[in-house]
């Protein structure tokens, strides 16, 4: 039987038990990124629904979203916009606060990175609870962007992140699921 893209990607993702703390199964995509075939297949699969469409920008969430987002932007002939932690961008920024497990954090984007009406795809490696992706989506929407989709290699469906993004009227694309988290 032929191996599916999903099977190939699952096989390329390393699982590290008890990281960053006991009881967590960390899904590490660095092994996927280091496998040229799996990396290419993942990027192609993320891009596929928008091939031939006019996408203005791809926004990547720090840090693995930069790697994936840059590759996706290249494939779509779109610009790339980094969404970073507070204080990491050198020019004027727009900022949003969001909740973490242990408190609040903030992310920002350059004030001139996205123009009103631009079609933007948000990219990161994984969606879990969805707090970071939700904040990034809201930040882009506040700037006037039309967030066409939020794309992730991995979904941890039991943590409900997909529903948080879909509640913002943004479709979610994921390539593999790890249920039972």
């Amino acid at each position: 039987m032929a191996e599916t893209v999903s099977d190939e990607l699952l096989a390329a993702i390393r699982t590290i038990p008890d990281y960053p703390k006991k009881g967590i199964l960390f899904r590490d995509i660095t092994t996927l990124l280091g496998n040229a075939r799996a990396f290419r297949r993942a990027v192609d699969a993320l891009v596929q629904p928008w091939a031939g469409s006019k996408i203005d920008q791809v926004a990547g969430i720090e840090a693995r979203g930069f790697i994936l987002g840059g590759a996706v932007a290249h494939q779509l002939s779109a610009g790339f916009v980094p969404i970073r932690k507070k204080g990491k961008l050198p020019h004027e920024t727009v900022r949003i606060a969001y909740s973490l497990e242990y408190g609040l954090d903030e992310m920002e984007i350059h004030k001139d990175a996205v123009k009103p009406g631009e079609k933007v795809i948000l990219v990161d490696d994984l969606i879990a609870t969805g707090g970071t992706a939700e904040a990034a989506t809201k930040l882009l929407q506040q700037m006037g962007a039309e967030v066409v989709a939020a794309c992730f290699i991995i979904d941890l469906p039991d943590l409900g992140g997909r529903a948080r993004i879909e509640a913002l009227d943004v479709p979610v694309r994921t390539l593999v699921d790890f249920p039972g988290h």
Side-chain angles (χ1 to χ4, degrees):
M1 185 168 115
E3 186 177 67
T4 67
V5 171
S6 181
D7 291 337
E8 183 178 350
L9 299 181
L10 281 168
I13 297 167
R14 174 174 34 211
T15 298
I16 302 170
D18 299 321
Y19 183 85
K21 62 182 185 181
K22 191 155 184 61
I24 301 289
L25 291 173
F26 183 80
R27 306 305 181 172
D28 178 19
I29 68 156
T30 61
T31 46
L32 181 146
L33 298 173
N35 176 325
R37 179 181 162 90
F39 185 30
R40 177 62 185 237
R41 300 269 314 250
V43 171
D44 287 349
L46 289 173
V47 165
Q48 186 273 326
W50 299 279
S53 299
K54 174 67 173 125
I55 301 297
D56 299 297
Q57 304 284 352
V58 174
I61 299 172
E62 187 171 348
R64 289 173 296 274
F66 291 0
I67 299 164
L68 296 168
V72 168
H74 173 77
Q75 290 289 92
L76 292 172
S77 298
F80 176 76
V81 176
I83 299 177
R84 301 212 59 192
K85 294 177 177 140
K86 179 182 168 187
K88 299 287 185 181
L89 291 170
H91 193 55
E92 290 180 63
T93 61
V94 178
R95 181 180 304 151
I96 191 167
Y98 62 102
S99 295
L100 293 171
E101 195 176 337
Y102 306 101
L104 284 179
D105 204 352
E106 293 178 288
M107 66 175 62
E108 39 188 35
I109 187 171
H110 277 138
K111 191 171 149 179
D112 58 359
V114 175
K115 294 170 187 57
E118 283 191 321
K119 294 181 184 300
V120 178
I121 293 175
L122 179 67
V123 176
D124 204 0
D125 65 325
L126 176 145
I127 186 158
T129 63
T132 303
E134 179 185 44
T137 301
K138 287 179 176 178
L139 184 59
L140 290 164
Q141 290 174 334
Q142 286 171 15
M143 294 180 73
E146 178 190 337
V147 183
V148 175
C151 299
F152 310 89
I153 292 177
I154 299 169
D155 186 8
L156 304 180
D158 297 344
L159 299 180
R162 172 187 286 266
R164 288 175 76 168
I165 306 308
E166 290 172 342
L168 299 172
D169 290 326
V170 173
V172 174
R173 176 161 178 80
T174 60
L175 304 181
V176 297
D177 292 350
F178 283 97
H181 243 57

